Amino acid sequence: MISGPSGAGKGTVIALVKGKVDGVVTSVSATTRAPRPGEADGREYHFLTREAFDEAVAAGEFLEWVGYSSDLYGTLRAEVDGQLARGEDVILEIELVGARAVRKVLPGAVAVFIAPPSLAELAQRLRGRGTETDEAIARRLSIATTEVAAAGEFDHVVVNDDAERAATEVAAIIEDRRKGS
Ligand code: 5GP
């Protein structure tokens, strides 16, 4: 699984990793947040209403789920089980609390933290992205401070100073894991 603060570039790095290693898939999570421009239901996320999300929680459909900022996010068991059954390596893009939960239920999972070069750079990237309100950015930066402080819990920390370089590092982690090292 790949964790790291919002704006650290997890999505960009993961997309590049998929181009470098065969047999790697990403699990599409569910969320109650509104789609950003360009995001499609079932591709970036399964966009659910709060009611539908609550029902999925009650039905035990999530491997883990969390409240993050003012929304809910969760990993769907059905997605991950199907991918693992097909022998694929599944990347979960997940925030800190969910990553800790996954470690408990899937102790074999490799935990990679994508770190921004600095919190100042992170703030700049989030503002530059222009997809969140000032208030949402402030919330994400506050969560980021906690997340960066927990980086030491992860098996690997990859600094995303350059997405291509960071992706090469993550690809090597996956290849090493497949070799059993
Ligand atoms: P965003 O709104 O920027 O897409 O995602 C906000 C945060 O939620 C990011 O740190 C992202 O990695 C995390 N996230 C996305 N899907 C899941 C999920 O299924 N479970 C958990 N715990 N976090 C998720």
Side-chain angles (χ1 to χ4, degrees):
M1 59 193 151
I2 295 203
S3 206
S6 177
K10 299 184 294 280
T12 310
V13 171
I14 291 169
L16 291 169
V17 168
K18 284 164 102 176
K20 290 177 189 290
V21 196
D22 287 335
V24 171
V25 292
T26 38
S27 160
V28 180
S29 295
T31 185
T32 60
R33 90 151 158 72
R36 292 182 189 134
E39 287 184 336
D41 189 36
R43 191 178 65 198
E44 280 77 17
Y45 284 103
H46 298 287
F47 293 100
L48 302 185
T49 61
R50 182 76 190 222
E51 294 69 35
F53 198 102
D54 287 345
E55 275 169 29
V57 170
E61 288 176 22
F62 289 112
L63 191 63
E64 61 74 40
W65 66 275
V66 298
Y68 171 94
S69 198
S70 41
D71 284 296
L72 304 178
Y73 294 80
T75 308
L76 291 159
R77 285 180 198 280
E79 284 265 331
V80 179
D81 289 351
Q83 291 166 327
L84 290 177
R86 286 192 292 275
E88 291 160 335
D89 280 327
V90 184
I91 296 185
L92 301 181
E93 194 220 304
I94 197 169
E95 54 63 70
L96 177 63
V97 178
R100 287 176 176 153
V102 169
R103 286 218 107 157
K104 290 199 182 126
V105 286
L106 298 174
V110 180
V112 177
F113 189 86
I114 303 284
S118 68
L119 285 171
E121 168 78 22
L122 188 72
Q124 216 167 29
R125 286 187 195 171
L126 277 174
R127 287 192 196 103
R129 191 158 84 180
T131 48
E132 270 85 23
T133 61
D134 285 351
E135 196 198 334
I137 290 173
R139 270 201 305 273
R140 281 170 183 247
L141 285 174
S142 150
I143 298 169
T145 310
T146 311
E147 294 190 309
V148 168
E153 293 176 25
F154 287 75
D155 300 315
H156 303 272
V157 177
V158 174
V159 178
N160 183 15
D161 44 5
D162 175 85
E164 186 61 42
R165 195 204 58 73
T168 303
E169 221 178 294
V170 174
I173 291 167
I174 296 170
E175 305 275 18
D176 281 354
R177 176 52 185 265
R178 285 182 178 172
K179 282 187 227 135
S181 57

